[in-house]
Amino acid sequence: MSRAVLSLGSNLGDRLAHLRSAVSAFGDDVLLVSGVYETPPWGDQDQPAYLNAVLLAEDPAATPRDWLERARAAERVAGRTRDPRRRFGPRTLDVDVIAVWADDEPVVSDDPELTLPHPRAHLRAFVLRPWIDIQPYGRLPGHGWLTDLLNTGPVAADALDLRPRPDLAIESTA
């Protein structure tokens, strides 16, 4: 059994539609989707605000590389282009594989293309806060409880800048 936590972000075009397209790309494998948060840009401050969310997906046959390929495919569908000069620049859609579990054991990888758990997830309130929505007692492998990570250190100040957007639903309520 393979489970993955994926972070979704968009700050160009129809941001909500891009998040919805990412959730759709994972189809029936999606178990839970967080609420939507509006967040200031991280890293490169000269860009529009982001909409962020997190999803939990499960696919018995998926490898960590499969999760990465599915994330990249969702980005391509949303028209994502990568500018090597702006690592943290604006994007239609960013889908990051944050953590993967195989048979309930966390996967650890130092592959430069897919480091697991994500090497900066513990520093990103826009990942931790939405993740807490769907797993209030969740843990980031190698770093600890999500709530502890969010409420201490440098992330705590960033958490104050996150704005819940209950008016924006990713999944249909019909």
Side-chain angles (χ1 to χ4, degrees):
M1 184 61 60
S2 177
R3 282 188 177 198
V5 170
L6 298 111
S7 173
L8 314 174
S10 175
N11 74 337
L12 293 178
D14 187 339
R15 301 175 301 165
L16 184 60
H18 293 309
L19 296 184
R20 287 177 175 158
S21 74
V23 172
S24 293
F26 288 91
D28 291 339
D29 293 336
V30 174
L31 298 175
L32 298 166
V33 180
S34 74
V36 176
Y37 290 81
E38 190 154 23
T39 63
W42 192 90
D44 182 343
Q45 299 296 312
D46 187 25
Q47 57 183 309
Y50 278 82
L51 289 183
N52 290 100
V54 166
L55 69 82
L56 175 66
E58 181 177 85
D59 178 347
T63 66
R65 177 73 51 190
D66 294 332
W67 292 117
L68 178 62
E69 290 306 317
R70 291 176 72 180
R72 288 180 174 169
E75 290 175 346
R76 282 191 300 276
V77 167
R80 165 85 186 260
T81 56
R82 296 179 187 272
D83 181 348
R85 297 165 294 154
R86 278 186 94 177
R87 181 174 180 195
F88 299 114
R91 64 234 18 216
T92 55
L93 181 64
D94 185 38
V95 181
D96 286 335
V97 180
I98 302 300
V100 174
W101 291 263
D103 298 321
D104 292 325
E105 292 297 321
V107 174
V108 177
S109 168
D110 61 0
D111 180 329
E113 246 189 303
L114 181 59
T115 304
L116 291 172
H118 189 288
R120 291 172 298 284
H122 67 287
L123 301 172
R124 294 178 170 175
F126 65 84
V127 170
L128 299 171
R129 182 62 196 97
W131 188 356
I132 290 168
D133 281 359
I134 60 175
Q135 290 189 317
Y137 300 103
R139 294 176 63 104
L140 177 60
H143 294 280
W145 298 103
L146 301 177
T147 51
D148 290 345
L149 294 170
L150 184 67
N151 293 317
T152 60
V155 176
D158 291 344
L160 298 174
D161 293 331
L162 271 70
R163 191 164 60 103
R165 293 294 307 267
D167 56 311
L168 303 177
I170 292 180
E171 294 187 300
S172 170
T173 56

